[in-house]
Amino acid sequence: MARNAEKAMTALARFRQAQMEEGKVKERRPFLASECSELPKAEKWRRQIISEISKKVAQIQNAGLGEFKIRDLNDEINKLLREKVHWEVRIKELGGPDYARVGPRMLDHEGKEVPGNRGYKYFGAARDLPGVRELFEKEPAPALRKTRAELMKEVDAEYYGYRDEDDGVLLPLEALHEKQAVLEAVQRWRTEKESRLSGDKQEVVEEEEEESIYSVHREEPDEEESREEPEGEEGGVTFIAHVPVPSQREVEEALVRRKKMELLQRYASETLQAQSQTAKTLLGL
């Protein structure tokens, strides 16, 4: 029993001695950066974290890993980034350089700065995941409304239409439209003229067809009277009016006097009518 214990102790001592000789004793990185009190070791752990980040960034470039694997790799990279920041703070506390100020920015394999939202970064194929692409799409900037002074700066002769003929397109169109308008106006004038002339002809015919109130109707004379009436030089019949026939002017004057009398009887008083009658009597009218 004692012999076996002695053999075990001897083997353990030999194993430890061999590890120390070959330098194969691996130290485990502390869970908290505050547990490290040596600057070289803190630098060593920072470099180790950067190496792990580089490996995982190279893996996440493969879009065929699947959505869940890509999300897990992206979470691990962000966790390592936070741990690297803790070690950089600890290095600064131990008197080392301030990597947060002088360190390079985080870039992807294309040399572009890694996009993220509130400190969380997306690498490689993680930027093409559903719901992630929309985070990086920039909304179009709203159009700025110009002030009145800016609008007035753009007002020139072309704004008022003084240069419309310079392009050589408007003048031919205006000439064509003007020619068409003239033809339509001439056609309309001719149509109105023809309709007016036809209307005048119809009125003349109607006036000729109307019976004149002053014309004397010729009655067929009796056989005896026709025998007694002498024939004129040209063989025509001579008519003799036995009563005075008023002229057209006399008829119009009579109608005017009659109209005046009707108006006087309608609107004038009896006294005014008597005075008017007296004045006419004195004047001999």
Side-chain angles (χ1 to χ4, degrees):
M1 188 73 180
R3 187 175 180 181
N4 292 335
E6 185 179 355
K7 288 182 179 180
M9 291 294 293
T10 304
L12 182 60
R14 290 178 180 177
F15 177 74
R16 287 180 178 179
Q17 185 177 2
Q19 285 184 340
M20 292 177 63
E21 291 177 355
E22 296 178 2
K24 293 183 180 181
V25 177
K26 295 182 180 180
E27 295 184 49
R28 189 172 184 180
R29 185 170 67 237
F31 183 74
L32 298 175
S34 58
E35 295 178 357
C36 182
S37 57
E38 299 179 7
L39 182 59
K41 289 187 177 181
E43 293 277 2
K44 173 185 175 182
W45 301 135
R46 179 181 175 276
R47 289 193 299 270
Q48 185 181 19
I49 293 173
I50 292 175
S51 177
E52 294 178 4
I53 292 174
S54 300
K55 292 179 181 178
K56 293 185 181 296
V57 168
Q59 294 177 5
I60 203 172
Q61 304 301 325
N62 185 8
L65 296 175
E67 179 180 352
F68 299 103
K69 180 63 176 178
I70 292 174
R71 290 186 184 275
D72 292 340
L73 282 173
N74 200 76
D75 292 340
E76 292 175 5
I77 293 172
N78 280 273
K79 182 179 178 181
L80 291 172
L81 288 174
R82 290 193 297 270
E83 188 175 354
K84 183 174 75 72
V85 172
H86 295 325
W87 281 105
E88 289 176 351
V89 172
R90 182 59 179 168
I91 289 172
K92 182 179 178 182
E93 293 175 353
L94 294 175
D98 187 3
Y99 289 104
R101 177 179 295 181
V102 300
R105 294 179 299 175
M106 182 63 63
L107 305 176
D108 58 7
H109 69 289
E110 297 178 355
K112 300 179 182 179
E113 188 173 1
V114 177
N117 185 19
R118 295 182 181 179
Y120 190 88
K121 306 291 184 180
Y122 293 93
F123 299 86
R127 291 179 295 179
D128 298 329
L129 293 175
V132 178
R133 183 185 296 274
E134 290 77 5
L135 297 175
F136 307 124
E137 292 180 355
K138 296 182 180 180
E139 297 182 358
L144 298 177
R145 187 174 182 179
K146 294 184 179 180
T147 61
R148 187 178 183 85
E150 293 176 350
L151 293 175
M152 291 302 296
K153 290 180 181 179
E154 300 178 359
V155 175
D156 53 4
E158 187 175 359
Y159 175 80
Y160 292 102
Y162 292 115
R163 298 178 182 173
D164 292 346
E165 297 85 0
D166 295 348
D167 55 0
V169 177
L170 185 61
L171 290 178
L173 294 176
E174 287 183 349
L176 181 61
H177 183 72
E178 182 180 1
K179 185 177 180 180
Q180 184 177 0
V182 170
L183 292 176
E184 292 178 357
V186 171
Q187 184 67 25
R188 186 167 56 254
W189 175 78
R190 289 178 178 175
T191 304
E192 293 177 357
K193 184 178 179 181
E194 292 176 358
S195 61
R196 187 166 58 253
L197 291 176
S198 61
D200 293 343
K201 291 180 179 179
Q202 291 178 359
E203 291 178 359
V204 171
V205 172
E206 291 177 358
E207 289 179 358
E208 292 178 353
E209 291 178 354
E210 289 181 356
E211 182 179 2
S212 178
I213 60 175
Y214 306 112
S215 61
V216 179
H217 296 282
R218 187 173 58 180
E219 299 179 355
E220 294 182 359
D222 297 337
E223 294 180 359
E224 297 179 357
E225 292 179 356
S226 62
R227 292 175 184 175
E228 295 177 357
E229 289 178 354
E231 295 182 359
E233 297 179 356
E234 298 179 357
V237 181
T238 303
F239 296 95
I240 299 174
H242 300 282
V243 293
V245 179
S247 63
Q248 183 176 358
R249 182 177 180 181
E250 292 175 351
V251 174
E252 291 177 354
E253 291 178 355
L255 292 174
V256 171
R257 287 196 299 271
R258 183 177 178 181
K259 190 69 175 178
K260 287 182 179 179
M261 292 300 296
E262 291 179 356
L263 293 174
L264 285 173
Q265 292 176 2
R266 183 179 300 178
Y267 299 107
S269 62
E270 296 179 357
T271 304
L272 185 60
Q273 293 180 10
Q275 294 176 356
S276 177
Q277 187 68 28
T278 304
K280 289 182 178 180
T281 305
L282 293 176
L283 294 174
L285 299 175

